[in-house]
Amino acid sequence: QELAELLVDGFRRLRELQVIDVRLRLREEVWRMRRKDDIVRLLATLRQSFSELGFRFTECGINVVMDSEGEVLVHHMGEDGTWTKMTEGPLPLILKIWRSEQPAYRRDLATEDPFDEYEALADYYGQAIRSVIDVPFSHGTLALNSTEPGAFSDDQVELLQELAEVLEEGFRRLDDLQALE
């Protein structure tokens, strides 16, 4: 029993060290940023971190709110690094979640679909998306989805909030760099 408890503590500590390592790498990427395009490198590091930390996600990306009128740029992490301007689709939902400043975790869209997005996401991704989470930060939302129901644990939701804060630092740095130009 004591040995089992030691092993549990050891694995918990290992997990804590992984999280610390991820935060440090992301912050290093933030401080390496010199141009607007450098955000893509930060996002690639973020996507890799999700995999390393055991997130069971299908897609991940960020939705950047450009202005109060509701213009949103979407970046799917891991694709070709381009931004897509969103003019329809889930735009009102993204703005609502961003303004709420609270994570919106839909654990299983097949059984509970509060925003009526299950079919639209299945059409968009070409497969049934069961779990979706959007975590607001100063410039938009960090978004992950999965084909698995209940894909994200409460601990992972907390960690996403912490990582969104690091992402916020990156976008604030971009703002600062643009102001300096």
Side-chain angles (χ1 to χ4, degrees):
Q1 181 68 29
E2 289 178 29
L3 184 57
E5 289 174 13
L6 284 173
L7 283 171
V8 168
D9 286 343
F11 284 117
R12 186 177 305 121
R13 182 67 181 137
L14 180 62
R15 173 76 170 171
E16 290 170 1
L17 291 172
Q18 285 177 312
V19 169
I20 290 168
D21 180 58
V22 164
R23 281 192 207 124
L24 287 173
R25 281 188 287 144
L26 290 171
R27 285 204 165 91
E28 286 173 5
E29 287 298 336
V30 167
W31 287 106
R32 282 190 193 125
M33 292 171 64
R34 299 287 179 259
R35 299 170 302 150
K36 186 177 178 182
D37 295 340
D38 290 343
I39 194 74
V40 174
R41 205 174 55 238
L42 174 65
L43 297 177
T45 302
L46 190 58
R47 180 184 177 90
Q48 178 184 355
S49 299
F50 293 148
S51 295
E52 291 172 10
L53 293 171
F55 280 80
R56 299 182 330 252
F57 67 97
T58 303
E59 296 288 337
C60 59
I62 58 171
N63 306 302
V64 178
V65 177
M66 299 304 293
D67 56 41
S68 60
E69 311 300 304
E71 182 181 344
V72 175
L73 293 179
V74 178
H75 185 285
H76 294 284
M77 294 180 216
E79 290 186 359
D80 61 2
T82 60
W83 294 86
T84 305
K85 184 176 177 181
M86 184 180 290
T87 56
E88 55 186 50
L91 182 61
L93 176 57
I94 291 168
L95 293 171
K96 179 180 180 178
I97 293 168
W98 175 66
R99 288 181 181 126
S100 79
E101 299 180 359
Q102 296 296 315
Y105 181 20
R106 286 83 79 204
R107 294 181 187 276
D108 190 354
L109 293 177
T111 60
E112 186 177 351
D113 189 6
F115 302 115
D116 195 31
E117 61 189 325
Y118 182 68
E119 288 182 26
L121 288 173
D123 289 343
Y124 184 79
Y125 290 107
Q127 58 187 331
I129 299 298
R130 299 284 298 272
S131 300
V132 178
I133 184 164
D134 287 280
V135 180
F137 65 99
S138 62
H139 289 66
T141 66
L142 171 60
L144 281 87
N145 66 44
S146 178
T147 56
E148 298 177 34
F152 311 111
S153 70
D154 292 339
D155 288 342
Q156 287 176 326
V157 172
E158 272 184 47
L159 180 56
L160 285 172
Q161 289 176 283
E162 293 173 23
L163 296 177
E165 290 173 8
V166 176
L167 192 56
E168 183 171 319
E169 291 172 20
F171 277 90
R172 290 191 190 277
R173 178 149 172 88
L174 282 180
D175 292 344
D176 292 345
L177 291 170
Q178 286 179 328
L180 285 173
E181 284 179 8

